[in-house]
Amino acid sequence: MTKTSTGNFFEDFRVGQLITHATPRTVTAGDVALYNGLFGPRFAVQSSDAFAQKIGYPRAPVDDLLVFHIVFGKTVPDVSLNAVANLGYAGGRFLAPVFPGDTLNAVSEVIGLKENSSRKTGIVFVRSTGYRQDGGKVLEYVRWVMVRKREEAAPTPGDHVPRLPEALLPSMLGDACPRIDTAAYDFALAGSPHRFGDYAVGEKIDHVDGVTVEEAEQQIATRLYQNTARIHFNQFAAAQDRFGRRLIYGGHVISLARALSFNGLANAFHIAAINGGRHVSPLFAGATVFAWSEVLAKADLPGRQDVGALRLRLVATKDHPGADFPLKGPEGDHPAVLLDLDYWALVPK
Amino acid sequence: MTKTSTGNFFEDFRVGQLITHATPRTVTAGDVALYNGLFGPRFAVQSSDAFAQKIGYPRAPVDDLLVFHIVFGKTVPDVSLNAVANLGYAGGRFLAPVFPGDTLNAVSEVIGLKENSSRKTGIVFVRSTGYRQDGGKVLEYVRWVMVRKREEAAPTPGDHVPRLPEALLPSMLGDACPRIDTAAYDFALAGSPHRFGDYAVGEKIDHVDGVTVEEAEQQIATRLYQNTARIHFNQFAAAQDRFGRRLIYGGHVISLARALSFNGLANAFHIAAINGGRHVSPLFAGATVFAWSEVLAKADLPGRQDVGALRLRLVATKDHPGADFPLKGPEGDHPAVLLDLDYWALVPK
Amino acid sequence: MTKTSTGNFFEDFRVGQLITHATPRTVTAGDVALYNGLFGPRFAVQSSDAFAQKIGYPRAPVDDLLVFHIVFGKTVPDVSLNAVANLGYAGGRFLAPVFPGDTLNAVSEVIGLKENSSRKTGIVFVRSTGYRQDGGKVLEYVRWVMVRKREEAAPTPGDHVPRLPEALLPSMLGDACPRIDTAAYDFALAGSPHRFGDYAVGEKIDHVDGVTVEEAEQQIATRLYQNTARIHFNQFAAAQDRFGRRLIYGGHVISLARALSFNGLANAFHIAAINGGRHVSPLFAGATVFAWSEVLAKADLPGRQDVGALRLRLVATKDHPGADFPLKGPEGDHPAVLLDLDYWALVPK
């Protein structure tokens, strides 16, 4: 019996299948420090125990995206080791704050399958859920990914494409954010005077700064999440591949863009939900990443006066500053665009 | 109203102005580990809780320079985002030890302004103070930096150049170092038998080793301090700049040289004060950094028998070992010199 | 008196000499996080406090190899600063688990010396022991290393070559592993159903994945262990050397190969002993490391029903996948082989 896992191929999945992913992971202050060194986020709530405690957290919570990447990483060996492309996200919700010392594990349910007409690949839809050591849910999200078939002739079950929400409803937001004391929220320490009321639907913000990505950084980050997708690590194999280079984990772009977005969104301290997202083009080491945001919508949270939700489009680009808000070109996507992410962030009122 | 900060320009500063800097930061064992991985310091007091406790600390304190960089990093978005050059430091004093779990924030006072004759730039002098969560001061220092004007024609207040101390007096040293039990200080474990009495004024020490700097290292380090100076991160912009490359944060050189100085100064475990310092030339990734030291002076600390203070010149060079103690050339600074730092270190008697 | 240590040369060693190495080091969750980011191990026991506690540990222990590297690093300034080559290991035993918060220090005894016929170098055999802050031993191992003489003419004591065990006896294994509750060991969470009984002597496992090494990674890792061997850090000097490049610490290869071996050996969670090992060829940044294993032997541990021991050969290669299990070529070692390591791992029964 072979001891080595080669991951699942398209024909191995069944709708309704539950997959318990390997390697539970205790998140520590060490992970947080490394995340800070790799991305440089400056949101005060995650940066300072004192700040977080003052507004109502027991201590500084772990960055939402670090939680996302750790949960995502666990799903890779079972879901996307044989993936051609990570196609999209939907219905992502942060359900409880995570603190250093918490242990995360993940379970995925296959919620849809659709073979491609080539019969060489198919699309797998999974709902992945991250759990804490006590069984509490911390995160759930849907992603769909194009996965190779082991054998082109292999029979596959009939197609089932799940209905996915376009965006989370405001009533579904905020579970991971305790009621905060906005009077104790120090806007000077947080780095910006702008509250929920200061943002307008349609407003676009160029986050100005750019950051160049190094190969060592992307490898360290991706290993930190125990993400085993070989395309991020194996230059020997990549040299023979379509790109000829190691491809950077899409989540790396999300974290870079989110950290850059501090300059303009300093008080949008919590990602409450990921409505959708698309990795528009691949990123390779040596490129410089820029970001801009657009306020797509604003919403009150039922029963809460402390925070409101901004629905934000976060666009990341490569080697192209955000000043002209690049998104679409004459023939579809603007060639500089890396990421088009749609999320809800909470902002003090 | 624009949400993005473009930082202050020379004409935005006023003498006496107080600036509360953003993003308080809880320092953790994770930050210490990353600092260790990036610089490799080996001073026993900061490396070992057991060693530190034996001599009188409650536990191993955070490396003085990590504290310095974190406080410095906070000042960047307000003070030096539009800087042309970081010109110098003076009057730096470490006032209390910092331990993992402490939260740091920073406030700067503008203490001097001097427009340059070109009218395109001016020099801003700030005294920056780092505070702990309980309001205790942990560090203060003065730096001056050449900052661009937004508009050449903008009126500026009259010049005011502060008087700065050439060096800290011995009576001002030691607040961040508890009285230590020198009988319990294990010189074998610390890596050297040399005590305060073994050093002589005028003595020069070549620290022998060299360390090559990688782009990923300098980015990870500088982000760890939440230092946002774009010249360290943005190759896209740097390519169009005078250097064509990302410039390495001057503090990176200080930390590299300090770690190298262990070989010769193993018991100079605490930086009590930074009398002055100058970044003599820029450093870029790929160069190898060497260091040498000279004992400029020795002093007793009033009322203390446990430690004495060595006033040290720490010189860092690039691609030039320290064996010939390079400092000056026929036309001014020796071209290999990166850093000329003047500081007080405490050494057991 | 010179303050700078240039390390010991061959003629400075004496059989029976005890060397207390410098710089005790408190291991923290930060070190663990950085180790995870650099190598990406996925063994559940070390990754999750919850998993470790369930089977009988007080919390997740520190990765065995991180302990090894920290102890090894301490010995470098005294033993191998003037080494030409690290020749081999024997008799390595892990004697107690290490947890974050423990402080490690190291002592070496010189147990053998043998001058080479060239009279320019000699082989130094040391038994190095790692201790915890309470004096408990956590690790001991023998290594031998070829060290330069300061002066070719220097007299040296007569040769003494120690007798070394070929492998540790099963009765000497397991001190660092508490009795575990195998019923509570969740094989799904651990990532593989394979227990001790599922492995057969002679079985070979290709670990499939490859990982490319970056210069920044090897420097950060090696500094994390306070390993000061200059060949890993100083490109200025290396450029004039036989390789022209920085050489990667041999322990880096061990950690990469061990992390890759998870795919096939997910439940071999603890390295109980290192029987021997040889760095067959040097590794430089840019190469991609692969690994394969062979089960050399199996053993019960006297009086223990919870775990058995697999004696494993772990072979690492560069730019050559493990599918054909490269080891020997027509003229000795296969040119792709980097490492040939022989160790005992514990696996639940």
Side-chain angles (χ1 to χ4, degrees), chain C residues 77-100:
Chain C
D78 299 310
V79 172
S80 52
L81 211 57
N82 300 302
V84 182
N86 199 27
L87 297 174
Y89 310 101
R93 286 172 71 199
F94 290 88
L95 298 164
V98 173
F99 299 101

Side-chain angles (χ1 to χ4, degrees), chain A residues 1 3-5 21-26 30-31 34 103 215 219-220 223-224 226 228 230 233-236 246, chain C residues 33 37-39 41-42 47-49 189 191 194 198 203 205-206 208 210-212 214 217 263-264 288 319 321:
Chain A
M1 183 182 186
K3 301 291 195 307
T4 309
S5 167
H21 302 296
T23 314
R25 172 85 152 80
T26 302
D31 300 313
L34 197 40
T103 298
E215 210 72 89
Q219 291 201 147
I220 293 172
R223 272 188 300 241
L224 187 69
Q226 299 175 315
T228 60
R230 53 185 69 121
F233 300 110
N234 185 334
Q235 181 56 35
F236 180 82
R246 281 166 280 174
Chain C
L38 290 163
F39 299 104
R42 289 182 285 145
S47 178
S48 165
D49 284 336
L189 278 184
H194 303 297
D198 296 323
E203 184 176 356
I205 302 166
D206 170 21
V208 181
V211 58
T212 304
E214 298 294 321
E217 295 169 357
N263 195 352
T288 301
D319 294 335

Side-chain angles (χ1 to χ4, degrees), chain A residues 50, chain B residues 96-97 101-105 130-138:
Chain B
D102 283 342
T103 298
L104 302 180
N105 67 297
Y131 293 92
R132 219 165 34 200
Q133 67 282 357
D134 60 5
K137 290 184 185 182
V138 299

